Amino acid sequence: MDKKEIRTETRAESKVEKMKQERQYEKYVKQVTPVHCLWKNMLKAFVTGGAICTLGQVIYNYCQAQDMTKDACSGYTSMLLVLLSILLTGLNIYPQIAKWGGAGALVPITGFANSVAAPAIEYKKEGQVMGIGCKIFTIAGPVILYGIFSSWVLGLFYWLWKLMGAA
């Protein structure tokens, strides 16, 4: 056998070995990757988000029964939902709710409060400035940034639209 045949044979063995490793890796990935049921997850999110919204409606109705204005009812509802979320985050209950309910727990105002409170609790041991001050908006910061930016862009379009006399 000459050197050229040996190199060709070695390359073929190398390709076979590489393909064998790739199949083993794919098999391993399938074993360790959790299988999710989309419909089950959507149902959990719907139930969780619905429960949070129902609680908010109960608070709002109670405030209305106390002859408060609509603005006051809305304010108390928001404040109490945020307070409850922060308390549950501090007691390490809200993360369990979010793990079970997925986006249903993360989308409403309670999820936003949790995303601010959780880093503050986690990094408090690093101090007021370098811990809480630097890390408090690590999760909520992008939401705030892009929320403000998109409202600015939409406001600009609206202003230009009004300048053209369309409104």
mmCIF file of all heavy atoms in Angstrom, residues 10 15 44 56 61 82 91 109 119 132 158:
data_model
loop_
_atom_site.group_PDB
_atom_site.id
_atom_site.type_symbol
_atom_site.label_atom_id
_atom_site.label_comp_id
_atom_site.label_asym_id
_atom_site.label_seq_id
_atom_site.Cartn_x
_atom_site.Cartn_y
_atom_site.Cartn_z
ATOM 1 N N THR A 10 -7.309 6.419 5.852
ATOM 2 C CA THR A 10 -7.348 7.104 7.141
ATOM 3 C C THR A 10 -8.452 8.158 7.147
ATOM 4 O O THR A 10 -9.177 8.305 8.142
ATOM 5 C CB THR A 10 -5.983 7.763 7.432
ATOM 6 O OG1 THR A 10 -4.965 6.779 7.332
ATOM 7 C CG2 THR A 10 -5.957 8.376 8.813
ATOM 8 N N LYS A 15 -13.848 9.942 8.833
ATOM 9 C CA LYS A 15 -15.227 10.362 8.548
ATOM 10 C C LYS A 15 -16.226 9.440 9.224
ATOM 11 O O LYS A 15 -17.225 9.883 9.780
ATOM 12 C CB LYS A 15 -15.472 10.382 7.032
ATOM 13 C CG LYS A 15 -14.886 11.571 6.336
ATOM 14 C CD LYS A 15 -15.258 11.575 4.864
ATOM 15 C CE LYS A 15 -14.681 12.775 4.162
ATOM 16 N NZ LYS A 15 -15.046 12.800 2.739
ATOM 17 N N LYS A 44 -51.518 25.950 31.093
ATOM 18 C CA LYS A 44 -50.963 26.416 32.370
ATOM 19 C C LYS A 44 -50.795 27.936 32.358
ATOM 20 O O LYS A 44 -51.109 28.611 33.341
ATOM 21 C CB LYS A 44 -49.615 25.752 32.641
ATOM 22 C CG LYS A 44 -49.699 24.308 33.046
ATOM 23 C CD LYS A 44 -48.286 23.780 33.270
ATOM 24 C CE LYS A 44 -48.250 22.365 33.737
ATOM 25 N NZ LYS A 44 -46.862 21.912 33.961
ATOM 26 N N GLY A 56 -56.870 40.561 40.249
ATOM 27 C CA GLY A 56 -56.899 41.998 39.995
ATOM 28 C C GLY A 56 -58.323 42.520 39.871
ATOM 29 O O GLY A 56 -58.654 43.593 40.385
ATOM 30 N N ASN A 61 -63.070 45.389 41.916
ATOM 31 C CA ASN A 61 -64.486 45.380 42.306
ATOM 32 C C ASN A 61 -64.667 45.773 43.769
ATOM 33 O O ASN A 61 -65.621 46.469 44.123
ATOM 34 C CB ASN A 61 -65.109 44.012 42.041
ATOM 35 C CG ASN A 61 -65.251 43.725 40.557
ATOM 36 O OD1 ASN A 61 -65.089 44.603 39.712
ATOM 37 N ND2 ASN A 61 -65.529 42.470 40.230
ATOM 38 N N VAL A 82 -48.642 44.482 42.530
ATOM 39 C CA VAL A 82 -47.182 44.616 42.591
ATOM 40 C C VAL A 82 -46.672 44.233 43.971
ATOM 41 O O VAL A 82 -45.693 43.484 44.105
ATOM 42 C CB VAL A 82 -46.753 46.057 42.204
ATOM 43 C CG1 VAL A 82 -45.297 46.317 42.564
ATOM 44 C CG2 VAL A 82 -46.986 46.291 40.728
ATOM 45 N N LEU A 91 -40.504 35.617 49.343
ATOM 46 C CA LEU A 91 -40.726 34.333 50.018
ATOM 47 C C LEU A 91 -40.394 33.136 49.120
ATOM 48 O O LEU A 91 -40.647 31.997 49.488
ATOM 49 C CB LEU A 91 -42.191 34.240 50.481
ATOM 50 C CG LEU A 91 -42.604 35.270 51.538
ATOM 51 C CD1 LEU A 91 -44.107 35.229 51.755
ATOM 52 C CD2 LEU A 91 -41.858 35.031 52.834
ATOM 53 N N ILE A 109 -48.430 42.599 35.130
ATOM 54 C CA ILE A 109 -47.673 43.544 35.947
ATOM 55 C C ILE A 109 -46.927 42.829 37.081
ATOM 56 O O ILE A 109 -45.857 43.252 37.490
ATOM 57 C CB ILE A 109 -48.602 44.657 36.497
ATOM 58 C CG1 ILE A 109 -47.793 45.784 37.105
ATOM 59 C CG2 ILE A 109 -49.596 44.085 37.496
ATOM 60 C CD1 ILE A 109 -48.620 47.004 37.455
ATOM 61 N N PRO A 119 -33.682 40.309 41.144
ATOM 62 C CA PRO A 119 -32.262 40.673 41.163
ATOM 63 C C PRO A 119 -31.880 41.485 42.400
ATOM 64 O O PRO A 119 -30.773 41.346 42.913
ATOM 65 C CB PRO A 119 -32.066 41.507 39.897
ATOM 66 C CG PRO A 119 -33.190 41.151 39.014
ATOM 67 C CD PRO A 119 -34.322 40.785 39.915
ATOM 68 N N ILE A 132 -27.394 45.935 44.553
ATOM 69 C CA ILE A 132 -28.765 46.306 44.189
ATOM 70 C C ILE A 132 -28.774 47.380 43.103
ATOM 71 O O ILE A 132 -29.467 47.243 42.096
ATOM 72 C CB ILE A 132 -29.549 46.787 45.431
ATOM 73 C CG1 ILE A 132 -29.684 45.642 46.430
ATOM 74 C CG2 ILE A 132 -30.916 47.323 45.038
ATOM 75 C CD1 ILE A 132 -30.271 46.040 47.759
ATOM 76 N N TYR A 158 -46.849 59.622 15.034
ATOM 77 C CA TYR A 158 -48.130 60.279 15.278
ATOM 78 C C TYR A 158 -48.001 61.782 15.072
ATOM 79 O O TYR A 158 -48.852 62.419 14.451
ATOM 80 C CB TYR A 158 -48.629 59.968 16.687
ATOM 81 C CG TYR A 158 -49.942 60.615 17.026
ATOM 82 C CD1 TYR A 158 -51.133 60.165 16.453
ATOM 83 C CD2 TYR A 158 -50.012 61.682 17.903
ATOM 84 C CE1 TYR A 158 -52.348 60.766 16.743
ATOM 85 C CE2 TYR A 158 -51.215 62.289 18.205
ATOM 86 C CZ TYR A 158 -52.373 61.825 17.627
ATOM 87 O OH TYR A 158 -53.566 62.423 17.922
#
